[in-house]
Amino acid sequence: MNGPLTLFDRLWSAHEILRRDDGASLLWVDRHYVHEGSHHAFARLAARGMALAHPALTVGVADHYVPTRGREAADADIARMIRTLEDNATARGFRLFGQHDPRQGIVHVVGPEQGLTLPGMLVVCGDSHTATHGALGAYAFGIGATEVAHVLATQTIWQRKPRRMGLSVEGRTGPAGGANDIPLNSIARLGADGGRGHAIEYAGAAVRALSVEGRLTLCNLSIEGGARSGLIAPDETLLNWLRGRPFAPDGAAWDRAAAEWLTLASDRDAAFDREEGLDAAESAPGVTWGTSPEDALPITGTLPDPERAATASDAARIRAALDYMGLRAGQRLEDVAVDQIFIGSCTNARIEDLRSAAAVLSGRRARVPGLVSPGSALVKAQAEQEGLDRIFVAAGLEWAGSGCSMCVGMNGDIVPPGNRCASTTNRNFRGRQGPGSRTHLMSPAMAAAAAVTGRLADVRPLLSGRDV
Amino acid sequence: MPGWTRHEGRALPLPLENVDTDQLIPARFMSAPRSAGYGGFLLHDLRYDSEGALRPDFPLNRPEAAGASVLIARRNFGGGSSREAAVYALVDAGFRAVIAPSFGDIFSSNAVNNGLLPARLPAEAVEALLEAAPLELAVDLDAGTITGEGQAHRFELDPVWRLKLVNGWDDIDLTAAHDEAISAFATRRRAARPWLWLATP
């Protein structure tokens, strides 16, 4: 390839084994994560009598179905899902971070935390939030079961090169909304399908200033804006975070790898197919009001009126969302009472997320019940070492184990029908947290503010005078 | 998956935006083996009320829905989760094509891998079809057309996807032809970046 290149171009060409005349490229997969939900793909492989091409590049993590309250699965069906993954790991010979492993957690937390995901990698997993790993300078995207089976059998995947979007974020995010507000803002503006067909490279002062945890949150939500992958160029912040992680290289190999990783960047004059910009400091912390992540507003906002929608289709969508959510047009977001809160998920359950929620909850009582599920068992241990668990429990919240938990409800952690939940998760879809559940997405600090006020609330006054 | 070139069937309107894959199949049904059949899970929580009774006015529950094989929906159909089970639910319920202005990227790949056409049409054309539905439509992959009852539209489809749908190709078979190139690539990559390979347990 000639001329200036983007980070994405570099990652793409480093993994392209061949390109067919019709434009489809065969890409090499460096890391393939599987979880309990990958059972369809293993069944497909078994039906064809095929083995794993590279068990040493495959890693299993139990997260979607694992219990987070106690050790027992909620029912026999759920227990069978966890066991099937264990059986497949044993039979197929790949490494597993199973239910009782002290390093277990959500795959998109565990992978980076263990150094299993590294810059320059191509990472896939049968989960749409695989975009998360792009925060480490990897090309990472979610795939379906047929594709999972293909990767298991060949360690490759056919793709057509997506278009490149550059999203530059200037200004600086505050502690209130944190990294979560960047995507809530951009998705509200560009739409839940605005990133369709694109790989998004995030850049700009606000992105460079983010911690790695914040970058993981940002890239995680790429898929909620329709982009299958999001990525950030490696820098010293990332190297400092990765150095010494269990599966990261060390010694001379680290030096060689780190030098290569710092070359993974877009050239100054590289062209993107589309460029977008955003000012991180321009609005109050965000929350969603409806049933798509694009239904996000600053907490100081009021609910939209379908009568004023631009098209009949928009009006129908807004009306249906308000109806499902039990809300009225013109209502102030801050007047919306919540029934419960959830702090967790691959979006917002890393140590910094728990710290920012604890900073709000410290010395305060929650008015509504809530569940706090750390992103991994190691995050949980770290939080307990810092005393964060005592803050959550003293506030009246439940301190649970790690897993996908109430973000997707597959392990039985669900929001009851009609209940309204302030949630640090990634999807406010109808029924996502359980049939009839009503979800408002927000940052961990904002979920903590909802806990102590019993409604959707601006966390900023609650942070006044606090060390955050 | 058998290939197909032309499909004729009844098209149903689902005049909703953002029909995400959580709606296409709620998560609690996904532990079932595929052999159980996923058709009954399709759009379950929209088709049934909280008491488990069918909502008679929901498009898929109306009498004219019987035997339908084409679905017409609004923008961002199949966004969200990568669950291929969303496609299994559509296919097992008898659908061969979904028509919408835009689709989730992962959903589209999954659809094509299961013989289901995600046909993209301009929003105005979709609105015209929604207005006319239910109606009998003919979908032609080679011509890239959707026609019937006075409607005639051209849809966009990646040529690679067209070939896969027409031939019912399975990627694993196609990839086997490139075994040597893959092995050579793996050998080079491992020599240059040995840290990518984990010791197997």
Side-chain angles (χ1 to χ4, degrees):
Chain A
M1 228 180 311
N2 296 316
L5 299 177
T6 65
L7 166 60
F8 183 74
D9 295 322
R10 293 203 152 87
L11 292 174
W12 178 273
S13 60
H15 292 89
E16 191 175 53
I17 300 167
L18 58 93
R19 190 183 316 161
R20 288 199 313 242
D21 291 341
D22 59 21
S25 293
L26 187 63
L27 303 178
W28 176 256
V29 174
D30 293 310
R31 189 67 76 238
H32 184 199
Y33 294 108
V34 295
H35 55 83
E36 307 97 301
S38 308
H39 67 105
H40 286 295
F42 283 108
R44 193 179 278 254
L45 213 61
R48 295 178 64 123
M50 298 188 77
L52 257 62
H54 288 271
L57 302 180
T58 309
V59 176
V61 182
D63 59 3
H64 279 69
Y65 287 86
V66 294
T68 55
R69 299 186 264 196
R71 290 170 64 87
E72 295 300 319
D75 63 39
D77 218 26
I78 290 171
R80 176 175 54 79
M81 295 297 287
I82 301 167
R83 203 170 52 246
T84 299
L85 176 65
E86 289 165 359
D87 293 347
N88 277 317
T90 305
R92 303 296 192 162
F94 60 87
R95 186 178 294 272
L96 174 68
F97 296 81
Q99 184 186 352
H100 301 298
D101 191 295
R103 302 159 298 176
Q104 176 274 341
I106 307 172
V107 60
H108 309 310
V109 176
V110 172
E113 180 176 83
Q114 289 294 318
L116 287 161
T117 296
L118 295 168
M121 277 186 172
L122 191 153
V123 178
V124 297
C125 174
D127 187 279
S128 62
H129 292 108
T130 306
T132 310
H133 304 253
L136 272 53
Y139 174 31
F141 55 98
I143 58 179
T146 302
E147 292 170 318
V148 170
H150 186 272
V151 178
L152 289 172
T154 69
Q155 203 58 34
T156 65
I157 186 161
W158 291 101
Q159 290 286 290
R160 180 183 283 279
K161 191 174 180 182
R163 293 184 292 279
R164 302 152 301 178
M165 185 194 295
L167 180 61
S168 184
V169 191
E170 300 303 331
R172 201 182 174 101
T173 55
N180 207 62
D181 274 357
I182 297 175
L184 279 192
N185 260 329
S186 70
I187 296 165
R189 211 153 52 95
L190 303 177
D193 54 354
R196 188 174 52 78
H198 288 83
I200 302 178
E201 180 182 345
Y202 300 98
V207 175
R208 282 195 300 278
L210 287 176
S211 65
V212 175
E213 282 85 352
R215 297 174 188 188
L216 289 160
T217 298
L218 171 57
C219 287
N220 172 279
L221 289 168
S222 299
I223 186 66
E224 306 316 325
R228 211 165 166 177
S229 61
L231 60 163
I232 297 172
D235 60 4
E236 289 294 338
T237 302
L238 175 63
L239 295 190
N240 290 334
W241 189 90
L242 268 179
R243 191 178 285 112
R245 300 224 166 234
F247 293 92
D250 57 8
W254 168 269
D255 294 340
R256 197 151 60 86
E260 179 184 297
W261 295 341
L262 289 177
T263 68
L264 296 173
S266 289
D267 294 327
R268 192 185 302 272
D269 46 353
F272 291 85
D273 298 294
R274 181 173 170 192
E275 298 199 55
E276 295 289 342
L278 196 72
D279 187 340
E282 77 188 2
S283 62
V287 299
T288 62
W289 59 267
T291 55
S292 162
E294 69 190 11
D295 300 332
L297 285 171
I299 180 64
T300 48
T302 53
L303 294 173
D305 185 347
E307 303 299 326
R308 297 183 184 183
T311 66
S313 173
D314 281 348
R317 188 177 66 76
I318 293 168
R319 197 170 288 119
L322 289 173
D323 180 53
Y324 180 79
M325 294 296 290
L327 299 170
R328 299 187 316 276
Q331 195 174 0
R332 280 164 29 101
L333 275 167
E334 290 187 272
D335 291 338
V336 176
V338 303
D339 299 301
Q340 61 188 102
I341 72 143
F342 175 64
I343 297 172
S345 89
C346 59
T347 308
N348 283 304
R350 297 176 185 85
I351 189 68
E352 284 200 354
D353 303 315
L354 301 184
R355 286 178 190 145
S356 77
V360 177
L361 288 159
S362 179
R364 294 183 170 128
R365 286 285 298 175
R367 288 172 181 246
V368 293
L371 184 67
V372 185
S373 173
S376 73
L378 291 178
V379 168
K380 185 178 192 192
Q382 170 79 25
E384 288 173 356
Q385 203 175 0
E386 298 180 17
L388 305 182
D389 59 321
R390 292 195 294 280
I391 293 173
F392 293 125
V393 171
L397 302 177
E398 186 176 359
W399 178 245
S402 60
C404 299
S405 184
M406 203 174 276
C407 174
V408 68
M410 291 164 103
N411 74 338
D413 291 344
I414 59 170
V415 173
N419 263 33
R420 185 180 307 284
C421 183
S423 184
T424 69
T425 56
N426 40 59
R427 294 195 168 127
N428 51 348
F429 298 163
R430 298 167 72 108
R432 167 74 175 187
Q433 294 190 287
S437 59
R438 293 164 169 165
T439 304
H440 294 269
L441 304 176
M442 65 196 74
S443 70
M446 286 288 286
V452 300
T453 60
R455 56 180 170 80
L456 301 181
D458 190 337
V459 68
R460 291 174 296 181
L462 293 168
L463 287 170
S464 159
R466 297 202 165 203
D467 184 23
V468 289
Chain B
M1 184 60 55
W4 61 276
T5 306
R6 187 178 165 84
H7 174 79
E8 294 178 19
R10 175 173 293 258
L12 280 189
L14 185 65
L16 299 173
E17 296 185 17
N18 293 326
V19 178
D20 54 71
T21 53
D22 273 77
Q23 288 181 78
L24 286 168
I25 180 168
R28 63 185 184 278
F29 298 120
M30 283 159 36
S31 60
R34 177 69 190 279
S35 54
Y38 270 55
F41 306 142
L42 178 64
L43 293 161
H44 185 279
D45 293 349
L46 292 175
R47 296 182 70 182
Y48 297 87
D49 66 20
S50 56
E51 308 297 315
L54 269 184
R55 296 180 213 260
D57 56 337
F58 189 71
L60 268 71
N61 295 340
R62 298 169 72 93
E64 62 268 24
S69 56
V70 178
L71 197 60
I72 309 162
R74 289 185 170 138
R75 63 174 270 267
N76 200 27
F77 186 90
S81 158
S82 62
R83 58 187 70 171
E84 194 160 305
V87 173
Y88 301 161
L90 283 159
V91 170
D92 290 0
F95 288 94
R96 290 294 166 267
V98 183
I99 300 168
S102 64
F103 293 90
D105 282 344
I106 307 177
F107 174 86
S108 295
S109 309
N110 292 343
V112 171
N113 281 330
N114 288 277
L116 177 73
L117 168 70
R120 273 179 59 202
L121 286 185
E124 305 74 48
V126 170
E127 291 301 322
L129 284 168
L130 284 171
E131 186 77 18
L135 77 171
E136 298 295 324
L137 287 179
V139 180
D140 192 306
L141 292 178
D142 280 338
T145 55
I146 293 170
T147 51
E149 300 190 19
Q151 299 277 338
H153 307 281
R154 301 190 69 84
F155 60 89
E156 298 175 32
L157 183 65
D158 180 309
V160 176
W161 285 359
R162 175 176 287 119
L163 278 175
K164 283 181 71 166
L165 288 166
V166 168
N167 296 297
W169 279 342
D170 181 319
D171 278 345
I172 293 179
D173 296 330
L174 292 180
T175 307
H178 303 292
D179 269 353
E180 278 183 35
I182 296 169
S183 296
F185 187 97
T187 303
R188 284 199 306 277
R189 190 150 184 85
R190 188 167 189 171
R193 295 169 186 81
W195 57 82
L196 298 174
W197 266 257
L198 304 173
T200 41

